[in-house]
Amino acid sequence: MTGDRISLAVHDHGGDGPPLLLLHGAGRTLADWAAVAPLLTRRHRVLAVDLRGHGLSPSGPWNFPGVLADIQAVLEKHDIPDALPVGHSLGGMVAVLHALAHPDAVPGAVNLDGYAWGRPDQYVGLDPAYVEERLAQVRQMAEAASARGPLPADGLAQELARQRTMSGQLGIPYDLLEAGVRRSVTERPDGRLELRPVRDRALEMLAAIESLDLFALFRRVPVPLLLGRALRPVPPVPGVDWFDELMTAYGQGLARDLDLLAAERPGVRVAGIDGTHAMLLENPRGVADAVLRFTSETLPGRAA
């Protein structure tokens, strides 16, 4: 760690052609790209990173200026200042911010389903006051999930069992889910295990996400921008009977606003991807195809 920069864990997938930098979502790791990256290397040099506080990367105060400095350090170290950032969820937001910070070097950016919870007016057919009330509950749930602390003695086994159930529900190969969990486990000084990001950093990260006006950022991006959207809804949350209604309404508003944005700004492309928010694991081919179509248009003659 030098100044505000943290030396991130990097997986170099190799490949030739214009470089791509793959960025994962909140609470995830670079392991999420394991099935997507090999599909990109036939046209691109591909690197994936663990963001600060995630996976095998060191931890530090979680804020976007620090995260962007980390990424710049990776690009400088690997001599790929013009790498096109491709991010999922939180990583998609970071990709957009990186493109805004380096418009002369970055040829484009990809945000795959990185829209957070949006604005109350994006929830089609629902009263904004009702939506605000429900979103407050969603935030409380996210904060509670982030405050998990050390795992109990059988906590890792329980988490892997939960991932196996998810594998069956979403059709995701279990080994991909297991790899992500094991990369996220860290041992505390007292010998107990804990999943990263740890509580304080996770809460900082949630606050940083809440501070963004994403559609305002999208409108400011001066380079080509691909905005991918999951076409399947988020799976139901047990015991939260209003969640499906909320997500259905948000999906409709998000589709509407993305189409309006693409009509307003010629540099914006919108791609629907068959999958839930876990699209990297569910449909790596669909994700890779969307990215490669975009880079073929954005980088003519270099990524054909």
Side-chain angles (χ1 to χ4, degrees), residues 225-258:
L225 176 62
L226 173 64
L227 298 172
R229 181 176 69 86
L231 295 180
R232 288 190 244 154
V234 175
V237 175
V240 186
D241 54 5
W242 45 263
F243 191 74
D244 288 357
E245 175 193 41
L246 198 71
M247 290 300 97
T248 297
Y250 183 38
Q252 294 172 357
L254 192 58
R256 174 200 66 199
D257 291 352
L258 288 172

Side-chain angles (χ1 to χ4, degrees), residues 14-301:
D16 294 316
L20 303 180
L21 184 68
L22 307 183
L23 307 167
H24 61 78
R28 307 298 303 176
T29 75
L30 60 76
D32 279 2
W33 294 99
V36 178
L39 303 175
L40 302 174
T41 54
R42 60 193 175 94
R43 297 188 191 175
H44 295 280
R45 167 88 184 281
V46 178
L47 271 67
V49 300
D50 284 332
L51 297 175
R52 64 166 57 192
H54 291 73
L56 303 183
S57 287
S59 195
W62 218 101
N63 54 71
F64 284 117
V67 169
L68 294 175
D70 299 343
I71 290 170
Q72 192 61 25
V74 169
L75 300 182
E76 291 171 1
K77 179 178 180 180
H78 291 270
D79 195 26
I80 49 172
D82 60 343
L84 190 150
V86 179
H88 171 245
S89 194
L90 168 64
M93 304 174 205
V94 174
V96 169
L97 291 169
H98 177 68
L100 279 168
H102 302 278
D104 295 331
V106 177
V110 177
N111 176 351
L112 300 169
D113 222 37
Y115 308 113
W117 298 108
R119 308 180 311 272
D121 63 280
Q122 289 181 295
Y123 290 71
V124 173
L126 298 182
D127 178 68
Y130 168 80
V131 173
E132 190 59 62
E133 177 185 343
R134 292 305 191 194
L135 288 179
Q137 293 176 272
V138 169
R139 293 184 188 102
Q140 290 175 355
M141 291 162 54
E143 290 177 1
S146 300
R148 48 198 171 193
L151 294 172
D154 62 344
L156 179 56
Q158 289 181 9
E159 180 61 26
L160 292 175
R162 190 176 73 85
Q163 298 296 321
R164 191 171 290 282
T165 299
M166 187 184 302
S167 170
Q169 290 174 337
L170 299 180
I172 298 171
Y174 171 71
D175 61 328
L176 293 179
L177 295 171
E178 181 184 13
V181 171
R182 293 195 181 278
R183 193 173 180 90
S184 295
V185 173
T186 185
E187 185 174 346
R188 294 159 46 101
D190 62 9
R192 291 186 291 176
L193 299 180
E194 189 170 20
L195 290 174
R196 307 185 77 207
V198 298
R199 179 184 184 278
D200 290 348
R201 300 312 184 202
L203 293 176
E204 290 172 352
M205 182 174 61
L206 291 174
I209 293 170
E210 284 285 324
S211 73
L212 297 180
D213 182 341
L214 288 167
F215 272 77
L217 292 176
F218 298 157
R219 288 185 171 87
R220 288 174 47 207
V221 175
V223 295
L225 176 62
L226 173 64
L227 298 172
R229 181 176 69 86
L231 295 180
R232 288 190 244 154
V234 175
V237 175
V240 186
D241 54 5
W242 45 263
F243 191 74
D244 288 357
E245 175 193 41
L246 198 71
M247 290 300 97
T248 297
Y250 183 38
Q252 294 172 357
L254 192 58
R256 174 200 66 199
D257 291 352
L258 288 172
D259 287 344
L260 288 172
L261 179 66
E264 171 191 326
R265 297 190 64 84
V268 172
R269 284 97 160 153
V270 175
I273 297 174
D274 183 25
T276 70
H277 188 65
M279 59 177 66
L280 302 186
L281 304 172
E282 294 170 323
N283 188 6
R285 171 63 67 182
V287 169
D289 285 349
V291 172
L292 291 173
R293 281 194 298 271
F294 176 70
T295 58
S296 293
E297 297 169 2
T298 305
L299 308 169

